[in-house]
Structures are given as structure tokens and as C-alpha cells.
Amino acid sequence: MNRKSQFDVARKTIYWMIAGVVITMVVLSFAYTIAIYRNALTRVPPQLRAELISLRFTDNCFAWVDEQDIIHPGIVDVDIFTEENLNKCYRTEKEKGFKEFNFRLQVAGKELTTNNYFNQDDFTLYKEVLVKTEMGITKDVMVIYVQEKI
């Protein structure tokens, strides 16, 4: 092998090493871009997630149950609008619960908070509900203050 062919082999080896690094970087950056795009497409806004979680308060936890054991979603019974029922319905872990949604609920002049609520409102939801009291059923707005992560 002559001197020129030895230099040619070394040059091709260096070229393919650099080309391999560049091609690897291009492929990895393309895969990373696709992953970011996919995550952006499937991202659920926190307001929607909180709205879906908070439906349990009006439709299940504090819903009025009549004498025939029929549940009336959207009608909040003031008698069962208590901390105890809220803790049965929605309770976060004591140590890690501050990383989840926590709520402060207001309706008919009463206010309840979940166990890891720290008075830091990220956004507020409003739900029109009917409120059952001893006087009858009246129209009211349930204000739900949402605390995301702290």
C-alpha cells in the first residue's frame, strides 16, 4: 500500500465517524421533536381535569337523596354538606396530597376545604346548583376554588 492510499483510508474513516455522529444527532433530535409534538397534542388542560373531578361534588357527594332513595344530581343538600362527607368523597394522601388537586367549596354561605388545601387558589370554577334546605329548594352557585400543585 502506498502513502496516498493510506491517507485516503484514514480520511474515509474520519469522514464516516463524523457522518455517523451527525446522522445520530439528526435522528435523535427528530425523535425528540415527535415526542414533544405528541405530548402537546394529547395534553389535557388542568381546568378540564379539575372540572371533571369536581363533578363528584355536585353529582354524587352532596347530592340530595329523597325518601325513595333517589339521588338528584345537581341538587346540593345543605345537611350533608360537611367536612366528613367531603373527606369520604375526596381525600388526598397526607404526605403527597399537596401534589394533587385540592379544593375549597362554597355554597349557601358554607365553606369546606379538602385536607391538603393551603389557601393558594390557582383558578376558580363556578357551577350553578340547586340547594335544598329546610325552607325548600333554591337556586345558588357553588364556587370551587382549585389549588393545583404547591
Side-chain angles (χ1 to χ4, degrees), residues 10-109:
R11 187 175 32 182
K12 286 181 182 178
T13 303
I14 292 172
Y15 169 78
W16 282 111
M17 284 176 33
I18 293 172
V21 169
V22 170
I23 289 171
T24 302
M25 289 181 359
V26 167
V27 168
L28 289 177
S29 65
F30 182 69
Y32 182 71
T33 304
I34 288 176
I36 288 175
Y37 180 69
R38 188 194 64 189
N39 288 339
L41 285 177
T42 60
R43 185 181 161 275
V44 177
Q47 290 85 355
L48 178 60
R49 290 187 303 147
E51 179 80 30
L52 294 174
I53 292 171
S54 68
L55 282 175
R56 70 175 67 187
F57 302 133
T58 58
D59 295 346
N60 189 13
C61 300
F62 306 117
W64 173 48
V65 181
D66 63 10
E67 295 82 26
Q68 291 86 23
D69 290 331
I70 298 174
I71 299 173
H72 298 276
I75 302 177
V76 176
D77 191 350
V78 174
D79 296 334
I80 61 172
F81 191 72
T82 62
E83 289 279 341
E84 181 183 331
N85 284 336
L86 179 62
N87 288 333
K88 287 180 188 174
C89 180
Y90 186 80
R91 183 164 185 84
T92 56
E93 292 182 32
K94 190 171 187 176
E95 293 82 26
K96 298 179 184 176
F98 60 89
K99 294 181 180 179
E100 300 173 17
F101 284 112
N102 285 285
F103 300 96
R104 177 170 51 124
L105 310 171
Q106 287 180 344
V107 70

Side-chain angles (χ1 to χ4, degrees), residues 85-141:
N85 284 336
L86 179 62
N87 288 333
K88 287 180 188 174
C89 180
Y90 186 80
R91 183 164 185 84
T92 56
E93 292 182 32
K94 190 171 187 176
E95 293 82 26
K96 298 179 184 176
F98 60 89
K99 294 181 180 179
E100 300 173 17
F101 284 112
N102 285 285
F103 300 96
R104 177 170 51 124
L105 310 171
Q106 287 180 344
V107 70
K110 292 176 84 174
E111 180 174 295
L112 302 176
T113 59
T114 55
N115 60 329
N116 283 315
Y117 185 80
F118 296 114
N119 291 320
Q120 178 187 342
D121 301 330
D122 292 320
F123 52 91
T124 307
L125 303 172
Y126 300 94
K127 295 189 176 289
E128 289 188 9
V129 294
L130 298 173
V131 178
K132 185 199 177 291
T133 60
E134 291 133 12
M135 307 296 283
I137 295 177
T138 59
K139 189 174 183 178
D140 201 351
V141 174

